[in-house]
Amino acid sequence: MCIMPELLFCFLKRYRYQTIGFFNKESSKSKDASNIFGRIQTAYSGSQMATAMSHIMKDFLWKKELTIAKNLRDCCNQKDEEKDIKESAKFLHQLGLVYKERSEECEWRFTFAMAVLTLIGNAPSQITALIRNALPSILTSIRFALIQSAALMNASIVRKPSNADEIKNDLVKLHRYVLKLAKVQRDHFDVDAYVNEVVREKVKSMREETKLALDKLKHIPDDVSSERAHELEMDKIDRVKTLQDNIAAKYTDIMNSISDKCIEVMGKPPCRYCVAGMGSLARKEITPYSDFEHIILLDDEVLQNHDENSDQYQSALEYFRWFSVLFHVIILRLGETIIPAVSVPSLNNNQIKEHNWFYDAHTPSGVSFDGMVLHACKFPLGRQEKTKNKPWKTELIKPVTKMVEYLDADVDLKNGYHLGDILTKTSFVSGFNIIYEQFSRRVTYQMQTSQMSGQNELLKQQLEEDLNNFDVVNHLDAFIYKSSFNIKRVVYRSSTLFIAALGRLNSIYQSPCSCYDVIETLKGRGRFDSETAHKLAYAVSIACEVRLKVYCLKGKQDDMTQKIRYYNPTETFISDLIEAVGEKSIIEYFKISWSLQIMLIHNSYYMMELDFNTNIFILKALGMVERLSKEWEEGKFKQINSTSMVRVIIALDQTSKDESALSIGKTLLKQPLSQGETLVTLFIIAKSLVALGRKDDDICKKLKDLSQNISRNNVLDGRWQASETYGKYVLHVLCDHKQALGIFINLQRLLLSVHQSSDKTKFFLQRCIPQTLQSIAMCLHYNGNNKQAIKKLEEIFEEYIQPETTVTFYVVMIQVTHLLLGVCYYAEKHFSKAKASFEKALLLHKQHPCKYSEQKLPKIHMAIKCCMAMLNEHNEFESFFAHVENRKFGTALCHFRDFSNLGLRLVDLKF
């Protein structure tokens, strides 16, 4: 914010009557003006910047905004999510009215300033210069306040409050106010009617046609021949490419019609112009829920002979600035712009932490303008907020020659969001095609000439940064401990971003330009062979298909996908992706994107086949242990290293192939292994022994030695698995319940002492602690101390499995806890409580079915039958759980092979 003009207008507002009185004395205009200027200068020179900012922040409207924002926050939970959307809608409406009031305040400033300029006449140039310099920022404030007001009111309407009609009336008033300030020719234009009758219908049609086309995209089966698979892949490439072209055409048509309507309402433009799309629209990878990144190009021929400060030049800019506001207001009326996208200072201010908190989960993110956050702003009004580190503005309404200047590397880097790169790929949306062609030619020329000035080095630096940020290996490695992942980041960008980079490195500048175009061009130049081109095109098709299907399923642009709520070793972590494109295709996608990134690292254009070790890593990372186990048994993996062999025995263990896991594990122990590999191998062997009920004194001794080495600093680096497994071994194989109880209690103390310093640590502790509590409860039950066992199990629900956090806990873990509670209640003859616990476990399976719990259904039904019999006083069942012979039933009921089974991903060991 510019302090001097702000202080000036605060001063002028305070003394406006005296000022006008001074100017009415014609004989002393100049003298009085000098006097006023002196008082302004004194006020400014006597104020430090902090004091000036404090004065501004105490503005009445800002106080009002903060009060409403506080009320809104009170309607949210600890995660800043709205608890009652109808209540929060009330405060969003109030904030919308505050921003309309703010625009009116800014309009007063502008009107008053213009009046002062008129009255001053030949007064000292310092005053006129000061006022003129402040005018653009006032007009900008008006425009942004109007956009923010419209966004807030539309978001309020989306929440369907009881006073929706009142809000709609206020929104209509806002629309009329926009038309008035824009000085349009058609001031009777009905924004609501136009959006509902035209825009909304076009958007709806685009989405319905997309869904129909997506329904025709079938999964490629696993059991087809390689020749047939190649044919099906070619068909999918053609279908997805055609679909993306059609969506781009439909989306462009929507924006073209809105643009034409804005011109019709505004009146004849002052010069020829062009609205050009950027980003995913220009790459033909846009979705029916994507935002609209675009620029406005103006005719050089009309403006080239005029100074930037001339009336004609500024008049042209003002016309298209208001054109952009009207365009924005129309798009906002769709109700698909989330509030953080318009950066309301009291809700989402990236510069002030305490004012950046609001999370809008109720406005569906769809067709909208690019966000106003500082790293975005790819829309005509652009980046208007200055910050300490980036004290400049970026407006995207410019004559062709001025817009091309953004391609300069220094400007691009300075803006911080690769604006220059984005401007190299555009598409025509509306206006005069000749203007767009002029821009495209200049971009091509500029980029070709800049290759000699180090541009290539900058591209390589950017590529290196992207390879680090979108490393597919890191994405796969993180699946195990992330409760969710970003589809755009993990799937879409891990391929398309790098294919686009290959286009830039090879001077492919045509616009529009999709990844398919880049691939075909490089194939035509002989850079790619047919197989590489095919694989890359297929990866792009899978990436686009996943994104389209997930967005269409959710009915909004939402890249976050939640992992499955329960842990089941035989089910993958990426069920959403598999549901979208099939298991075979998603595996192939990650293989191709991995190969692509390796290709770029080695500056090669030949895609190598991945070795068996990499294939095993991908399957294990994706949680596809059933497939990994099956392919191992079919002999598909040969000459693999010890790390891959460990992954194989993990898969065999998790698919209950205990004999194989035990046999291979013992063989593996004879080979040179790292400490981490030894720990996991020993862990699997012990688990298999427990499952098979066999003793092995040598393994028992090794487990005991490892468990005794646990310390506070290394409890999560693999040795805790050894301790937990040793306890299970002692409990279930040696049947020494008291010794096992001591092991688990000691382990629990150590876990509670671990500092939760990272996501990985939190992930493990959230699962290790309740799991160890279960083990303690089992030991207490076997020792006959059921009351203490019940307390431990209740502690799991009270401390670790609260309603709002269950999405990150394994359903199997919760189910085991219910079953253990049922067994303990039954042993204490609390048959009603036991029955309720067993029924909760049964309900959980119905809500989240999985193979492991399905295997236990007969026993759960039998347990419920036992409880019902006891409640009906059928005494022949009285000692069912208490009898020593039937203790095995309790074990079978609760033993889900889940102990210490967290995917066996050690914190410090990268498999």
Side-chain angles (χ1 to χ4, degrees):
M1 185 178 290
C2 186
I3 305 302
M4 185 62 181
E6 185 66 27
L7 282 176
L8 168 65
F9 283 101
C10 289
F11 184 93
L12 290 177
K13 185 175 181 181
R14 182 176 179 183
Y15 296 107
R16 58 186 178 274
Y17 299 113
Q18 295 162 281
T19 307
I20 293 170
F22 287 145
F23 294 145
N24 282 337
K25 300 175 183 178
E26 296 183 7
S27 60
S28 57
K29 271 188 185 178
S30 182
K31 179 180 177 183
D32 292 331
S34 297
N35 185 20
I36 292 173
F37 182 71
R39 291 167 69 180
I40 294 170
Q41 287 284 62
T42 302
Y44 178 65
S45 60
S47 304
Q48 299 299 320
M49 184 172 287
T51 306
M53 284 302 294
S54 174
H55 175 79
I56 295 162
M57 295 297 276
K58 289 178 181 177
D59 176 81
F60 169 72
L61 289 176
W62 176 244
K63 284 186 188 178
K64 194 172 179 181
E65 177 178 344
L66 286 181
T67 300
I68 298 170
K70 181 182 180 302
N71 292 336
L72 177 60
R73 196 162 193 174
D74 290 341
C75 294
C76 299
N77 60 23
Q78 291 181 341
K79 295 181 180 179
D80 293 323
E81 298 168 336
E82 298 161 76
K83 293 183 290 188
D84 183 347
I85 59 172
K86 294 189 185 300
E87 182 70 11
S88 59
K90 177 177 72 175
F91 297 117
L92 292 174
H93 176 212
Q94 290 175 8
L95 267 181
L97 292 175
V98 166
Y99 270 85
K100 181 174 183 289
E101 194 176 351
R102 193 179 293 283
S103 66
E104 291 168 341
E105 164 71 11
C106 290
E107 186 200 2
W108 175 87
R109 294 186 182 203
F110 181 80
T111 303
F112 185 73
M114 293 300 292
V116 169
L117 286 175
T118 302
L119 290 167
I120 286 177
N122 297 321
S125 60
Q126 295 99 318
I127 298 178
T128 55
L130 197 60
I131 296 175
R132 288 187 185 279
N133 288 337
L135 291 178
S137 63
I138 297 173
L139 288 170
T140 297
S141 297
I142 294 173
R143 286 187 278 263
F144 275 79
L146 291 170
I147 291 168
Q148 289 163 324
S149 177
L152 288 162
M153 289 193 200
N154 278 296
S156 180
I157 292 170
V158 166
R159 285 154 174 77
K160 298 179 180 178
S162 56
N163 66 331
D165 289 339
E166 177 191 349
I167 302 170
K168 288 178 182 178
N169 287 334
D170 285 334
L171 190 57
V172 168
K173 293 175 184 176
L174 179 69
H175 292 161
R176 289 174 182 163
Y177 185 48
V178 170
L179 297 175
K180 171 198 161 189
L181 294 179
K183 298 178 182 178
V184 302
Q185 287 189 0
R186 285 185 52 190
D187 57 2
H188 59 282
F189 173 57
D190 189 334
V191 174
D192 263 25
Y194 174 67
V195 171
N196 290 329
E197 295 168 12
V198 179
V199 183
R200 211 178 293 278
E201 289 302 312
K202 283 178 175 284
V203 171
K204 181 181 176 182
S205 173
M206 172 178 64
R207 289 171 178 168
E208 288 175 349
E209 289 184 24
T210 300
K211 287 179 182 178
L212 289 173
L214 287 172
D215 289 340
K216 296 176 182 178
L217 288 173
K218 303 302 181 184
H219 295 181
I220 296 177
D222 278 354
D223 56 356
V224 296
S225 65
S226 57
E227 292 81 7
R228 179 57 180 157
H230 190 275
E231 290 175 7
L232 292 173
E233 288 170 2
M234 288 294 295
D235 180 66
K236 177 158 285 194
I237 291 168
D238 290 339
R239 287 176 179 270
V240 174
K241 185 177 183 300
T242 300
L243 174 57
Q244 288 288 182
D245 287 345
N246 290 340
I247 296 171
K250 290 278 184 184
Y251 197 102
T252 299
D253 176 67
I254 292 169
M255 297 306 158
N256 176 280
S257 65
I258 298 174
S259 175
D260 289 348
K261 176 58 69 173
C262 289
I263 293 294
E264 178 188 331
V265 173
M266 292 283 295
K268 184 179 178 181
C271 64
R272 292 184 300 180
Y273 71 98
C274 165
V275 176
M278 301 187 294
S280 59
L281 179 59
R283 297 191 306 271
K284 294 186 178 180
E285 292 163 9
I286 200 158
T287 77
Y289 298 90
S290 292
D291 50 305
F292 183 38
E293 298 176 358
H294 63 294
I295 57 176
I296 298 177
L297 300 163
L298 306 182
D299 189 358
D300 271 328
E301 292 182 8
V302 173
L303 301 176
Q304 65 181 352
N305 295 324
H306 294 276
D307 182 82
E308 288 187 24
N309 295 319
S310 68
D311 289 343
Q312 185 169 350
Y313 193 97
Q314 289 301 317
S315 176
L317 290 180
E318 279 301 301
Y319 176 95
F320 286 104
R321 285 164 181 161
W322 284 109
F323 165 92
S324 183
V325 172
L326 181 56
F327 205 139
H328 215 137
V329 164
I330 291 171
I331 294 293
L332 285 167
R333 191 62 195 96
L334 285 170
E336 299 184 359
T337 302
I338 57 172
I339 293 171
V342 295
S343 295
V344 176
S346 58
L347 306 182
N348 302 106
N349 186 341
N350 292 322
Q351 303 301 307
I352 305 175
K353 187 176 180 180
E354 58 269 27
H355 294 153
N356 187 15
W357 61 272
F358 185 71
Y359 176 73
D360 187 354
H362 296 284
T363 306
S365 179
V367 176
S368 62
F369 271 33
D370 192 37
M372 292 180 180
V373 290
L374 297 181
H375 63 272
C377 300
K378 295 182 283 293
F379 62 96
L381 295 179
R383 185 183 188 277
Q384 295 297 324
E385 184 179 351
K386 294 181 179 181
T387 62
K388 181 179 179 181
N389 295 328
K390 297 179 180 180
W392 54 78
K393 299 179 180 181
T394 307
E395 188 172 53
L396 299 180
I397 307 172
K398 291 190 178 297
V400 170
T401 51
K402 294 289 184 184
M403 193 70 77
V404 172
E405 290 178 4
Y406 278 133
L407 299 175
D408 178 77
D410 291 337
V411 176
D412 181 20
L413 293 174
K414 189 170 70 171
N415 280 285
Y417 52 80
H418 317 304
L419 176 60
D421 179 41
I422 294 165
L423 284 171
T424 63
K425 298 292 184 291
T426 56
S427 64
F428 176 79
V429 173
S430 67
F432 293 81
N433 198 53
I434 189 172
I435 304 299
Y436 178 73
E437 289 173 354
Q438 288 173 5
F439 177 71
S440 296
R441 286 195 299 270
R442 285 181 175 271
V443 167
T444 301
Y445 175 77
Q446 177 80 3
M447 293 307 295
Q448 287 174 343
T449 55
S450 66
Q451 295 299 313
M452 303 301 294
S453 61
Q455 184 74 13
N456 238 23
E457 285 305 312
L458 289 170
L459 290 175
K460 288 178 181 177
Q461 289 175 21
Q462 182 58 52
L463 179 59
E464 186 176 340
E465 183 182 323
D466 290 338
L467 282 167
N468 182 56
N469 291 333
F470 301 98
D471 183 355
V472 69
V473 178
N474 288 339
H475 288 323
L476 290 169
D477 198 49
F479 275 140
I480 185 66
Y481 68 91
K482 291 286 187 181
S483 61
S484 62
F485 62 92
N486 187 298
I487 287 176
K488 183 186 284 187
R489 185 178 183 85
V490 173
V491 180
Y492 177 66
R493 284 182 175 157
S494 58
S495 60
T496 58
L497 189 72
F498 300 108
I499 293 170
L502 284 172
R504 295 194 302 274
L505 288 169
N506 286 274
S507 304
I508 300 172
Y509 300 120
Q510 72 250 36
S511 289
C513 184
S514 68
C515 283
Y516 295 112
D517 295 327
V518 172
I519 294 166
E520 281 301 309
T521 302
L522 291 176
K523 179 184 174 184
R525 294 180 184 178
R527 301 290 273 170
F528 288 155
D529 59 28
S530 296
E531 184 62 19
T532 298
H534 170 78
K535 285 185 176 181
L536 291 178
Y538 185 58
V540 171
S541 300
I542 294 301
C544 291
E545 183 182 1
V546 165
R547 204 158 68 111
L548 285 170
K549 283 186 173 178
V550 171
Y551 285 7
C552 288
L553 180 66
K554 294 182 177 182
K556 59 182 178 179
Q557 183 178 177
D558 184 357
D559 294 302
M560 296 308 295
T561 182
Q562 189 73 35
K563 260 172 48 176
I564 52 176
R565 293 185 177 198
Y566 52 91
Y567 174 72
N568 182 353
T570 62
E571 294 188 28
T572 179
F573 304 130
I574 55 167
S575 54
D576 285 353
L577 303 184
I578 291 175
E579 187 176 348
V581 296
E583 190 172 286
K584 181 181 178 66
S585 292
I586 204 63
I587 293 171
E588 189 65 18
Y589 174 81
F590 282 111
K591 286 182 179 180
I592 295 170
S593 58
W594 185 315
S595 298
L596 170 63
Q597 292 185 14
I598 291 174
M599 192 170 75
L600 286 164
I601 290 169
H602 294 289
N603 194 27
S604 166
Y605 286 81
Y606 174 71
M607 186 170 287
M608 297 178 293
E609 286 292 328
L610 298 178
D611 61 20
F612 293 128
N613 296 307
T614 305
N615 285 319
I616 289 172
F617 170 82
I618 290 173
L619 291 176
K620 181 64 182 70
L622 296 177
M624 295 180 180
V625 291
E626 286 274 16
R627 190 182 188 107
L628 175 53
S629 177
K630 180 182 176 183
E631 291 190 4
W632 166 259
E633 292 181 329
E634 292 173 351
K636 291 187 177 180
F637 305 122
K638 299 175 183 178
Q639 296 179 336
I640 59 176
N641 59 33
S642 59
T643 300
S644 293
M645 189 63 78
V646 172
R647 292 194 181 103
V648 169
I649 64 169
I650 290 172
L652 291 169
D653 166 69
Q654 292 177 338
T655 51
S656 303
K657 295 180 174 63
D658 301 301
E659 288 285 5
S660 295
L662 181 60
S663 174
I664 297 170
K666 285 190 172 183
T667 302
L668 191 58
L669 275 182
K670 297 174 183 178
Q671 300 179 17
L673 300 175
S674 68
Q675 184 187 50
E677 290 169 347
T678 302
L679 284 169
V680 176
T681 303
L682 187 60
F683 176 42
I684 296 296
I685 291 172
K687 282 191 65 183
S688 300
L689 288 169
V690 170
L692 295 168
R694 298 180 190 170
K695 292 184 180 180
D696 190 311
D697 293 339
D698 182 50
I699 297 297
C700 182
K701 183 178 183 303
K702 289 180 179 179
L703 282 171
K704 183 178 180 180
D705 290 342
L706 285 173
S707 65
Q708 289 175 346
N709 291 326
I710 296 177
S711 70
R712 290 188 180 187
N713 296 328
N714 61 17
V715 70
L716 293 179
D717 70 354
R719 292 182 177 86
W720 89 267
Q721 283 102 329
S723 183
E724 175 79 0
T725 308
Y726 177 55
K728 291 288 187 179
Y729 186 89
V730 171
L731 177 63
H732 294 292
V733 178
L734 302 182
C735 298
D736 188 337
H737 309 146
K738 290 184 178 179
Q739 183 185 353
L741 180 60
I743 294 169
F744 291 127
I745 288 174
N746 184 51
L747 178 58
Q748 181 74 2
R749 287 171 182 162
L750 285 170
L751 290 171
L752 291 172
S753 69
V754 175
H755 179 60
Q756 299 185 28
S757 57
S758 68
D759 286 343
K760 285 186 179 182
T761 303
K762 291 175 183 177
F763 170 83
F764 276 86
L765 288 176
Q766 283 176 334
R767 289 145 180 82
C768 294
I769 293 175
Q771 203 166 355
T772 306
L773 281 170
Q774 286 177 357
S775 297
I776 292 171
M778 180 69 82
C779 293
L780 289 167
H781 167 66
Y782 278 133
N783 286 324
N785 194 345
N786 289 293
K787 290 181 181 178
Q788 284 298 318
I790 290 169
K791 285 184 178 180
K792 292 295 181 183
L793 294 168
E794 288 177 342
E795 184 182 337
I796 294 174
F797 287 113
E798 290 170 3
E799 300 294 332
Y800 300 101
I801 308 179
Q802 297 170 358
E804 65 268 21
T805 59
T806 53
V807 292
T808 62
F809 278 81
Y810 305 140
V811 166
V812 171
M813 181 193 295
I814 304 171
Q815 193 174 45
V816 169
T817 307
H818 283 309
L819 292 175
L820 277 170
L821 267 173
V823 171
C824 294
Y825 280 135
Y826 193 99
E828 289 295 301
K829 299 185 179 182
H830 297 314
F831 303 120
S832 295
K833 290 183 177 180
K835 178 173 174 285
S837 293
F838 292 136
E839 287 176 340
K840 286 178 182 178
L842 191 63
L843 177 62
L844 206 58
H845 169 73
K846 291 179 180 178
Q847 293 173 336
H848 308 285
C850 67
K851 293 179 183 177
Y852 268 28
S853 59
E854 188 174 352
Q855 294 170 2
K856 307 302 171 187
L857 289 182
K859 292 184 174 64
I860 297 174
H861 284 297
M862 185 177 178
I864 293 172
K865 185 178 178 181
C866 289
C867 293
M868 293 175 67
M870 294 308 301
L871 289 169
N872 292 324
E873 297 184 351
H874 292 178
N875 294 328
E876 63 269 23
F877 287 97
E878 183 173 359
S879 62
F880 187 83
F881 286 128
H883 196 278
V884 174
E885 292 296 321
N886 291 315
R887 285 285 175 85
K888 292 181 180 178
F889 177 83
T891 302
L893 185 67
C894 304
H895 185 53
F896 278 71
R897 296 177 53 85
D898 67 305
F899 61 86
S900 305
N901 197 347
L902 297 173
L904 300 166
R905 298 303 306 277
L906 308 183
V907 174
D908 296 324
L909 177 65
K910 297 289 184 182
F911 279 166

